Amino acid sequence: MRFRELWDEIAPVGRDAGSGGYLRYALTAPELRLREWFRAQADLRGMPVSEDGNGNLFARWGDPPGDARDGDAGRVGAAAGTGAVLTGSHFDSVPHGGAYDGPLGVVSAFLAVDELRATGADPVRPVVVAAFVEEEGARFGVPCLGSRLLTGEIDPDRAAGLRDAAGVGFAEALGARPAGADPALADRFAAFVELHVEQGRALVDAGAPVGVASAIWPHGRWRFELRGEGNHAGTTRMADRRDPMLTYAFTVLAANKEARLRGAHATVGRVAVEPNATNAVPSRVTCWLDARAAAPETLRELVEAVHAKVAERARRDGTELTVTPESATPLVAFDAGLTGRLAELLAAPVLPTGAGHDAGVLAARLPTAMLFVRNPTGVSHSPAESATDDDCAAGVVALARVLEELACR
Ligand code: HGY
Ligand code: MN
Ligand code: MN
């Protein structure tokens, strides 16, 4: 186990000296460096690397399915198959994000392969380490873009046309129109197991270094565009204003209140103001609502309530409102057979999460499970996100046991 050694290789990449957080947006220089690091790590291990035309990277340990040997008909989770066991996560971050969200799953996957090799394990089915592109949606707006393309969850033409804040299109950043769905996905892969830092404190409370995920709350993103009339801050009478900033302020409060009323989560974490001048009534405010709930109907009611209340407020403010859904992720219940099997194997607690993951997207197509590694702060999407080296090492050992169970028997 050389967790710290490997971790230190990527720790400086994309780190902002001011905040201590990471700026690793998909297909920008820091993320491209991490992708080069991925290729180098695969080379060191003699693992061939392939890309899927969507920006996702794969490194394979073991013979491809076509070369499967006799006796290769074991069962993985609920599904029979000779496909590979997929593991890994993503390199990209939210603005000023933590070190562990994403990269921990990729680093742990390579180290788990090392662990298995050190014990002389021989995969009956290949183990494939993946790095998915644009999981956070921090650059192009749609989270889990790489896994959504791979599964056919998003149309490649829509993905190609997504633009970052500077107007660069996803296809341009990728260097090609994305390839889209792999129709053979379910044959190529027998299962996916993503290891991830926990983004809450359930494992701290449980006193366990590693847990297994049961479900992901349904969640989505909605863009609220509020248009009014730009005007002079000093000369425009208060009664004459059509100020979208007022409607925006109400939106933030309404989202918070409606989520609390339902035991759900709602966040307005991003806002753009035009013209963004101290001495001008804004002409337009755009903000993004991130909403999540345990049940789909609660989520629907929450968003409808916020929309209705903001529309009513906009009428009073004399502003215009347009609400556009940008992404939606349904409730994900991870494969119960696989999850139960891994929880028993690892004697680990099982917990749900409100955070989205590529595993949640792939779960629609493959038996999928997730391992969580304890996070002492419970904080994520922030530089304060953390995990101890001992717990990260425990995560690698757990992942190696899982891969041994799924790929080597
Ligand atoms: O936003 C999320 O839930 C995830 O961390 N991508
Ligand atoms: Mn994240
Ligand atoms: Mn993540």
Side-chain angles (χ1 to χ4, degrees):
M1 172 73 60
R2 34 186 210 105
F3 174 77
R4 178 46 56 184
E5 202 182 312
L6 211 53
W7 194 247
D8 282 346
E9 288 186 15
I10 64 165
V13 181
R15 190 156 195 258
D16 180 72
S19 71
Y22 287 88
L23 303 166
R24 290 168 168 169
Y25 305 128
L27 304 171
T28 63
E31 207 244 7
L32 292 171
R33 270 184 70 193
L34 293 171
R35 295 158 77 85
E36 280 313 307
W37 177 88
F38 179 99
R39 289 177 180 281
Q41 289 300 313
D43 278 356
L44 279 173
R45 292 167 173 83
M47 297 168 71
V49 174
S50 59
E51 286 197 46
D52 63 357
N54 294 312
N56 304 314
L57 285 174
F58 301 92
R60 195 188 72 239
W61 172 46
D63 297 328
D67 303 339
R69 293 161 293 176
D70 291 344
D72 192 14
R75 295 180 72 81
V76 172
T82 54
V85 175
L86 186 62
T87 184
S89 193
H90 61 96
F91 285 127
D92 64 301
S93 75
V94 298
H96 302 276
Y100 296 86
D101 178 354
L104 184 64
V106 183
V107 169
S108 300
F110 280 122
L111 289 172
V113 168
D114 294 348
E115 287 280 303
L116 287 176
R117 278 184 160 157
T119 64
D122 190 15
V124 172
R125 51 177 64 76
V127 171
V128 172
V129 177
F132 290 100
V133 73
E134 181 71 336
E135 192 277 343
E136 299 288 6
R139 182 169 178 195
F140 296 103
V142 175
C144 301
L145 187 59
S147 53
R148 283 183 207 268
L149 279 162
L150 182 63
T151 57
E153 173 75 23
I154 187 168
D155 178 65
D157 287 329
R158 185 188 160 213
L162 294 171
R163 296 197 172 276
D164 70 8
V168 178
F170 178 64
E172 193 184 332
L174 191 61
R177 180 186 172 279
D182 175 358
L185 188 68
D187 296 327
R188 289 208 296 131
F189 299 112
F192 176 42
V193 181
E194 179 172 0
L195 179 146
H196 204 278
V197 69
E198 200 205 345
Q199 297 171 291
R201 286 176 55 86
L203 292 174
V204 173
D205 293 346
V210 174
V212 179
S214 57
I216 297 178
W217 280 16
H219 58 281
R221 298 178 182 190
W222 289 262
R223 188 174 73 244
F224 281 56
E225 281 183 77
L226 309 162
R227 292 174 301 280
E229 183 182 53
N231 213 331
H232 195 290
T235 59
T236 316
R237 288 186 308 194
M238 297 308 279
D240 290 346
R241 296 180 182 209
R242 295 199 294 117
D243 184 351
M245 194 66 98
L246 295 181
T247 324
Y248 159 70
F250 179 86
T251 304
V252 177
L253 297 174
N256 186 280
K257 179 175 173 184
E258 297 303 323
R260 283 170 184 271
L261 285 172
R262 294 170 174 81
H265 293 173
T267 307
V268 180
R270 180 178 166 202
V271 60
V273 182
E274 293 172 30
N276 208 22
T278 306
N279 55 352
V281 176
S283 55
R284 179 196 294 250
V285 178
T286 306
C287 65
W288 283 260
L289 171 70
D290 177 309
R292 313 183 187 217
E297 52 278 14
T298 313
L299 179 63
R300 185 177 48 74
E301 283 167 21
L302 164 63
V303 176
E304 281 175 7
V306 175
H307 189 159
K309 287 186 189 286
V310 175
E312 204 277 317
R313 175 72 203 204
R315 279 191 289 278
R316 283 196 279 141
D317 291 336
T319 56
E320 287 167 28
L321 166 70
T322 309
V323 179
T324 309
E326 288 199 336
S327 70
T329 303
L331 173 69
V332 175
F334 288 113
D335 187 288
L338 182 58
T339 295
R341 188 168 154 200
L342 301 193
E344 197 179 321
L345 179 76
L346 304 173
V350 179
L351 47 137
T353 178
H357 300 284
D358 293 308
V361 174
L362 284 159
R365 299 287 305 281
L366 305 174
T368 297
M370 287 192 77
L371 303 184
F372 290 136
V373 171
R374 179 165 53 192
N375 172 350
T377 62
V379 174
S380 189
H381 286 183
S382 145
E385 180 185 87
S386 75
T388 65
D389 284 6
D390 282 352
D391 284 356
C392 293
V396 171
V397 169
L399 183 60
R401 287 186 70 188
V402 167
L403 296 177
E404 202 265 337
E405 172 84 2
L406 300 182
C408 302
R409 290 167 193 268

